[in-house]
Amino acid sequence: MSKKDKKKIDFESEGMHFTGDYTMPSTSESMRGHVGNAMSIVSDIIEPFVPLFGTVEKVMESLYTIYENAKCNKKMCGALIDRIEVVEQATKSLQRKKQENAAKFRSEEYYLAWVRFTNVLKNIKVFAKDVTQQSVFQKHLNANAVKEAYDKNINEFEAVCKDLQFSVYMISEEQRKEENDQITNELNLLGWAMNEVSDEVKNISKQINILSEQLNSQKLNSGEIKVLTVDDSELTDPEITNPDNVRGSEKTIVKRIYRGTLQVACKKVKAIDKNESAGSRNVQTQLVILGLLGICPNIITFYGLAKIGQDDYMIFDWAEHGSLKEVYEKCDMSIHTKLRFIYNIFKGLSFIFNSGVLHHDVRCENILVTENPDVKITNFEMSREIKAETTSFSGLNDYVRWLAPEKMLWELINEKVPYKDKSFKEIQELVKSKKREELPSQLNSNPILLELTKLIKQKLRLSYPEILKLLSTLVNRMSLSSPRISPKNDSSDVTDFELDNKRSFSLSSSSHYEIDPEKLPDVDDCVLDDVPTFSIVKPFEDGVKAHREKRYKEAWECFDEHAKLGLSLAKYWKGFYLEKGYHGEKDVMEGLKWLKYAADDGLPDAQLRYASGLINLSKSTGSSENYKTILEYMKKAADGGSETALYNLGDIYFNGKLGAEKDEKKGNEFFDLAALKNPKFMKKHPTQSTQ
């Protein structure tokens, strides 16, 4: 076959990239191939399946990344991976034995089953990404709804596997029951963690998530960010002069009295880089996030930014006892006190994590001990958004010891810095050989120490809800008294122990690829002549491209075909076309039906459009029967990140629309969240427009 008759097409879909050589033979060449070379025939008939086979591999790669980055519901994601891994092997076998399976590759029914299968895989990938990144505070999860969505994906997967005659995916009833029990327990645990925090804290966490997104996407200008400020006249010197009133390696932290009563630390602003000042957008956004994080009692409170002389200072709580590292070096702490501190630290870390931020420098040196005493997390200079790429910074040799928060737990129990005196290269070698720091071990019978040792040795991959639940159970079981510290004596009730050297921790973090729907690639139509005899299903992206170019008939045909084959995005587009009448006669009710299909698959845009469609329907009929459903789907869209849905909910509650009880406070919270995501909504905010 000549090179001029081969056309290479690159596909990009849902963050997946794969390339296939699509053979486009002339009739005579095709006939010669059929007559002269059986192997060539097999190669020709398998061509339409090549990108579909590639999708299986790409989805698996994406799921592995999703699993590693999972914030919750990890067992659920793992169960999905287990199934698709088996099918991936069956796919490779099918490709290897293509001549034996030539009859299948000629079947249009078999081909359409494969298209359906890849669409199901794409839906599973979207579901896995969503359900593992739903933070405890960020979304109001309903365990039953999540389980129903999981079961729906599993059932669709197993049904299409039967169509493709993949029998190897089947699991026993006993395995299925065990899997369901694990997933139910995981969802129940997430529900428990949600109930542990107030609605106010959940709302604050949502604001932090949005600000983190804005910081990453650079949507906000510095003038649109409101940073807390402190007037320097409100800051006075302490009455008693003490050398400890000035701290820090560079003596840049000074003790002051705020408003006559509060002891505060005035810390000189250190720009993120030499080109940034306290007035820069990046610094201002991080200061706002710091102010919001301080709502959590286990995180240092940031009161605002003050101008003292010519310099900018951040005003924080004053930590009477200094850092936790200083405390364990100078003072004695019982194991009960350490457990209470560990529990409170992980409550703070959980709040930070579920607010869309990673600290990445969790060491005892960055935990402050207040007068009570209690612990508060500080030093967010190395923090970054969860979705951001790995940060490059100097001093990696020092920070690498603290990428896993369990290292802080290890440090506090042992009162030693992990990997002390080892270089970055030496630490790398330890990890490569699947070893960790080894210390002389002499475990005693103290139940707290034994439980914490288990947590470090065997549970390194636990989620924050799981860690918190274990610590909460341990704290409640021990009926701990208030934490106490005292000057260090020669004795201690804490013994060293040895870490298991058979498991490793990761020194690097992964980022996941997000597809930009506005940058879909141009994909040329692929028309095969004679081989195979059935029609090739155009990629879904062809439909999107046709829509943008106002070739509505072609777009409709593509959306309709993929919607029938189970692709969630195609269901959304089909519903949208029917509702608007872009091609053919407008059919609002049929459009709403397809929008609901897509909405129930978890697409925020479909949830918003379905709710909006029901609002229009209620207006035209004067009926209130859909009010409850409208609120349900509007909330789902808002939880999925739609700023329009957030604003609509603000309008609904602020004005008491759609049968909702009037609640101006709740309405303002939604208005504020919408304005954070998109400043244009600030102008529509009722409290702003009246000023």
Side-chain angles (χ1 to χ4, degrees):
M1 186 171 296
S2 62
K3 291 183 180 180
K4 68 180 181 180
D5 291 321
K6 293 193 75 178
K7 192 167 189 177
K8 194 170 188 178
I9 302 174
D10 293 331
F11 288 90
E12 180 176 13
S13 172
E14 298 290 332
M16 295 171 284
H17 304 269
F18 44 92
T19 302
D21 289 334
Y22 275 67
T23 306
M24 304 174 67
S26 65
T27 303
S28 58
E29 284 180 322
S30 180
M31 289 300 295
R32 285 199 300 273
H34 277 287
V35 173
N37 194 326
M39 291 302 296
S40 176
I41 295 174
V42 173
S43 297
D44 286 343
I45 63 174
I46 202 174
E47 287 290 352
F49 293 83
V50 171
L52 304 177
F53 294 155
T55 298
V56 179
E57 183 178 351
K58 294 300 179 182
V59 167
M60 278 306 309
E61 290 175 2
S62 297
L63 285 175
Y64 287 136
T65 301
I66 290 168
Y67 182 82
E68 289 302 316
N69 292 336
K71 294 163 61 177
C72 55
N73 293 317
K74 200 160 188 173
K75 291 183 177 65
M76 190 176 290
C77 184
L80 295 171
I81 288 176
D82 289 342
R83 283 169 167 78
I84 300 176
E85 272 182 334
V86 176
V87 172
E88 184 185 27
Q89 293 303 315
T91 301
K92 291 177 180 178
S93 175
L94 187 67
Q95 289 177 272
R96 191 169 57 251
K97 300 176 181 178
K98 53 183 176 285
Q99 190 166 7
E100 295 93 317
N101 291 287
K104 290 182 179 179
F105 295 136
R106 291 193 180 94
S107 166
E108 181 177 17
E109 183 180 356
Y110 188 71
Y111 170 73
L112 292 177
W114 259 99
V115 176
R116 260 196 327 277
F117 179 58
T118 55
N119 283 345
V120 167
L121 291 184
K122 292 175 186 179
N123 287 340
I124 286 175
K125 192 196 78 168
V126 172
F127 168 78
K129 181 179 177 182
D130 184 53
V131 81
T132 55
Q133 289 301 311
Q134 293 179 99
S135 70
V136 175
F137 312 135
Q138 186 179 357
K139 294 191 175 185
H140 300 284
L141 288 179
N142 180 295
N144 290 333
V146 174
K147 185 62 167 62
E148 286 173 6
Y150 170 79
D151 289 339
K152 176 178 178 293
N153 278 285
I154 288 293
N155 291 337
E156 289 178 351
F157 175 81
E158 294 184 348
V160 77
C161 280
K162 289 179 181 178
D163 292 341
L164 292 172
Q165 300 171 24
F166 287 148
S167 58
V168 290
Y169 75 93
M170 296 298 291
I171 62 175
S172 67
E173 286 302 315
E174 184 179 352
Q175 290 173 314
R176 192 183 297 276
K177 183 181 183 304
E178 182 181 353
E179 177 183 282
N180 283 332
D181 288 344
Q182 288 180 346
I183 290 171
T184 300
N185 290 337
E186 190 173 47
L187 290 171
N188 289 338
L189 182 63
L190 199 57
W192 167 85
M194 282 188 65
N195 292 331
E196 290 293 298
V197 296
S198 66
D199 289 339
E200 180 187 14
V201 172
K202 291 175 186 175
N203 184 56
I204 291 293
S205 184
K206 285 184 178 182
Q207 294 181 50
I208 296 170
N209 266 284
I210 292 170
L211 280 167
S212 295
E213 290 174 7
Q214 304 290 26
L215 181 63
N216 214 28
S217 62
Q218 301 185 356
K219 288 182 179 179
L220 286 178
N221 297 318
S222 58
E224 295 167 343
I225 306 169
K226 296 180 180 179
V227 179
L228 294 171
T229 58
V230 172
D231 195 296
D232 63 348
S233 63
E234 298 178 295
L235 300 168
T236 57
D237 291 328
E239 292 182 3
I240 301 175
T241 303
N242 190 318
D244 192 47
N245 288 350
V246 180
R247 294 177 178 174
S249 58
E250 300 177 11
K251 304 298 180 183
T252 55
I253 302 173
V254 182
K255 183 179 182 180
R256 291 284 189 270
I257 306 299
Y258 179 43
R259 294 182 176 176
T261 57
L262 289 174
Q263 297 183 31
V264 295
C266 301
K267 183 177 181 180
K268 199 171 184 178
V269 173
K270 181 181 179 182
I272 294 174
D273 64 46
K274 63 181 180 180
N275 297 318
E276 290 188 330
S277 66
S280 72
R281 177 193 156 279
N282 197 14
V283 173
Q284 283 191 326
T285 306
Q286 292 205 27
L287 290 176
V288 173
I289 292 175
L290 277 179
L292 292 170
L293 286 171
I295 194 69
C296 177
N298 309 112
I299 298 173
I300 200 73
T301 301
F302 172 63
Y303 294 99
L305 195 65
K307 194 80 170 179
I308 303 177
Q310 299 298 314
D311 296 315
D312 294 299
Y313 283 81
M314 296 179 288
I315 313 301
F316 294 100
D317 281 328
W318 178 258
E320 183 64 26
H321 298 289
S323 73
L324 188 54
K325 182 174 186 290
E326 291 172 319
V327 169
Y328 76 61
E329 287 176 340
K330 299 176 183 176
C331 302
D332 278 333
M333 289 181 285
S334 70
I335 191 62
H336 287 77
T337 293
K338 289 183 178 181
L339 174 59
R340 175 68 73 178
F341 281 173
I342 288 167
Y343 179 50
N344 289 343
I345 290 167
F346 269 90
K347 284 197 291 186
L349 288 174
S350 181
F351 178 76
I352 294 169
F353 189 77
N354 286 292
S355 295
V357 176
L358 287 178
H359 192 287
H360 269 321
D361 193 14
V362 185
R363 59 175 103 183
C364 288
E365 190 175 348
N366 288 332
I367 308 296
L368 298 181
V369 183
T370 57
E371 192 171 12
N372 299 342
D374 199 2
V375 284
K376 291 179 180 282
I377 302 169
T378 189
N379 194 357
F380 291 84
E381 290 182 27
M382 293 311 303
S383 65
R384 62 175 175 83
E385 294 73 40
I386 288 173
K387 295 180 181 179
E389 294 181 359
T390 304
T391 306
S392 297
F393 48 84
S394 58
L396 182 62
N397 187 51
D398 200 17
Y399 288 108
V400 75
R401 308 169 199 275
W402 313 102
L403 292 180
E406 292 87 357
K407 295 291 174 289
M408 176 277 305
L409 193 161
W410 183 93
E411 178 193 8
L412 180 57
I413 292 176
N414 288 279
E415 298 185 357
K416 295 179 180 181
V417 174
Y419 301 112
K420 189 176 176 64
D421 301 325
K422 285 186 172 60
S423 67
F424 176 52
K425 185 176 181 180
E426 288 173 321
I427 296 174
Q428 280 186 314
E429 291 301 319
L430 281 173
V431 173
K432 287 179 181 177
S433 59
K434 300 185 182 298
K435 293 181 179 179
R436 287 194 194 86
E437 178 106 275
E438 293 184 18
L439 293 173
S441 174
Q442 193 176 14
L443 287 176
N444 58 25
S445 59
N446 186 298
I448 296 177
L449 187 57
L450 289 171
E451 289 298 323
L452 293 177
T453 303
K454 288 180 188 177
L455 180 62
I456 297 174
K457 291 176 67 176
Q458 302 174 16
K459 308 290 185 181
L460 287 178
R461 301 304 295 177
L462 288 179
S463 65
Y464 276 108
E466 289 172 310
I467 293 174
L468 277 177
K469 184 65 175 177
L470 288 173
L471 291 174
S472 175
T473 302
L474 191 56
V475 166
N476 293 331
R477 194 169 74 214
M478 296 301 169
S479 301
L480 301 183
S481 57
S482 299
R484 294 182 181 180
I485 57 178
S486 58
K488 186 176 279 292
N489 300 318
D490 293 333
S491 61
S492 172
D493 68 338
V494 182
T495 60
D496 290 339
F497 62 94
E498 185 175 315
L499 288 174
D500 183 6
N501 66 357
K502 295 182 181 180
R503 299 178 64 188
S504 64
F505 70 97
S506 173
L507 293 178
S508 62
S509 58
S510 301
S511 59
H512 56 270
Y513 177 78
E514 294 280 356
I515 185 170
D516 182 354
E518 295 300 320
K519 297 179 180 178
L520 291 172
D522 291 338
V523 185
D524 295 330
D525 291 345
C526 175
V527 181
L528 298 184
D529 185 22
D530 292 334
V531 181
T533 58
F534 51 79
S535 300
I536 302 300
V537 177
K538 292 182 180 180
F540 171 74
E541 292 75 25
D542 277 13
V544 178
K545 180 184 176 186
H547 171 76
R548 290 184 180 142
E549 295 175 357
K550 299 184 178 180
R551 293 182 280 116
Y552 297 133
K553 183 177 182 296
E554 292 178 41
W556 163 257
E557 290 172 351
C558 185
F559 298 150
D560 182 44
E561 194 162 25
H562 277 282
K564 291 175 182 176
L565 293 172
L567 186 63
S568 299
L569 276 172
K571 297 175 189 176
Y572 166 74
W573 279 96
K574 180 175 180 177
F576 174 67
Y577 261 52
L578 286 165
E579 186 189 33
K580 297 296 183 183
Y582 268 112
H583 176 65
E585 188 175 348
K586 181 188 292 188
D587 190 337
V588 174
M589 297 308 296
E590 184 69 10
L592 285 175
K593 183 180 80 172
W594 281 96
L595 286 173
K596 185 178 187 302
Y597 290 154
D600 290 340
D601 284 346
L603 298 183
D605 286 345
Q607 291 158 351
L608 173 63
R609 189 168 290 280
Y610 178 58
S612 300
L614 290 179
I615 290 175
N616 293 331
L617 186 64
S618 296
K619 287 179 181 178
S620 64
T621 61
S623 171
S624 61
E625 64 176 332
N626 289 319
Y627 284 176
K628 184 178 179 181
T629 304
I630 292 169
L631 275 175
E632 176 190 352
Y633 282 88
M634 196 68 76
K635 287 177 181 177
K636 287 180 179 180
D639 287 341
S642 168
E643 59 260 40
T644 302
L646 286 167
Y647 177 82
N648 288 343
L649 284 174
D651 185 39
I652 289 169
Y653 287 109
F654 190 86
N655 296 298
K657 295 181 177 180
L658 300 177
E661 184 177 348
K662 186 173 182 178
D663 188 337
E664 291 189 3
K665 182 177 181 293
K666 192 172 185 178
N668 278 324
E669 288 178 355
F670 281 114
F671 281 139
D672 290 341
L673 291 171
L676 275 175
K677 286 190 75 71
N678 193 330
K680 76 175 184 179
F681 287 111
M682 182 62 69
K683 299 176 183 178
K684 298 183 178 183
H685 197 306
T687 58
Q688 296 291 324
S689 60
T690 57
Q691 293 178 358

